[in-house]
Amino acid sequence: MSETEGTSPQPAPSGQPKAGDRRRARALAMQGLYQRHFSKTAISDIEAEFMVDNDMSKVDLLYFRDLLRGVHREQGELDKLIEPFLDRPIKEVDPVELAIVRLGAYELKHRLDVPYKVVINEGIEMAKRFGGTEGHKFVNSILDKLSGRLRLAETRAR
């Protein structure tokens, strides 16, 4: 399977993807990106491993693949978007929080079907669950500032 195969968003057979299925897709994609940070394993191998090792029956698989592959493919570009809002070098950012912020940046940039407030809230919730004690504040700050840049029309109504 190629890196770009299957990345176009498609709703679940019932019409709209379920929020819980997307939430699980985000969490698994973040964990895959975290694993990639340390292992340097090919993203396709990480994807295959996650497909075997996790119950994917309640996961939006297309969304999981889009996030995992998209963030990996665009990591350098996403980092350039994030860096102006950081208070430290990107190499010093906690790997969990960095994976969450990259994921959120990708969603803000490419997934216009997801409201920016949802992207920020999902990032905060993942940081509370997987990150450090104050990690959610960091994620909130970065994604909020980034949403003003990437979703200007949408955030203008704040």
Side-chain angles (χ1 to χ4, degrees), residues 8-127:
S8 60
Q10 295 178 10
S14 63
Q16 290 293 329
K18 294 179 181 175
D21 293 355
R22 282 205 166 171
R23 183 170 293 120
R24 285 183 280 281
R26 279 185 193 93
L28 288 172
M30 184 279 298
Q31 291 171 59
L33 295 166
Y34 175 83
Q35 179 177 329
R36 172 78 171 104
H37 179 83
F38 290 106
S39 71
K40 304 303 181 204
T41 303
I43 205 72
S44 58
D45 291 344
I46 291 172
E47 179 183 331
E49 179 184 323
F50 273 65
M51 298 294 284
V52 170
D53 291 348
N54 295 282
D55 176 7
M56 302 300 267
S57 64
K58 294 189 184 232
V59 173
D60 184 335
L61 292 175
L62 293 176
Y63 208 69
F64 166 72
R65 288 179 177 137
D66 180 36
L67 296 176
L68 185 67
R69 295 173 187 180
V71 172
H72 172 70
R73 181 180 57 248
E74 295 187 22
Q75 181 176 311
E77 186 177 334
L78 296 171
D79 287 355
K80 287 178 186 173
L81 290 171
I82 295 164
E83 284 175 325
F85 304 115
L86 296 178
D87 59 357
R88 57 191 172 263
I90 203 159
K91 292 199 178 283
E92 292 179 15
V93 175
D94 176 83
V96 170
E97 292 160 11
L98 184 57
I100 293 168
V101 170
R102 284 175 174 156
L103 195 74
Y106 180 83
E107 283 188 284
L108 288 170
K109 184 176 179 196
H110 293 289
R111 297 304 307 229
L112 301 180
D113 58 316
V114 181
Y116 82 95
K117 288 182 181 182
V118 171
V119 173
I120 294 171
N121 186 58
E122 291 292 320
I124 292 168
E125 292 305 315
M126 276 194 292

Side-chain angles (χ1 to χ4, degrees), residues 94 96-97 127-128 130-136:
D94 176 83
V96 170
E97 292 160 11
K128 286 179 180 178
F130 297 106
T133 305
E134 299 293 315
H136 67 283

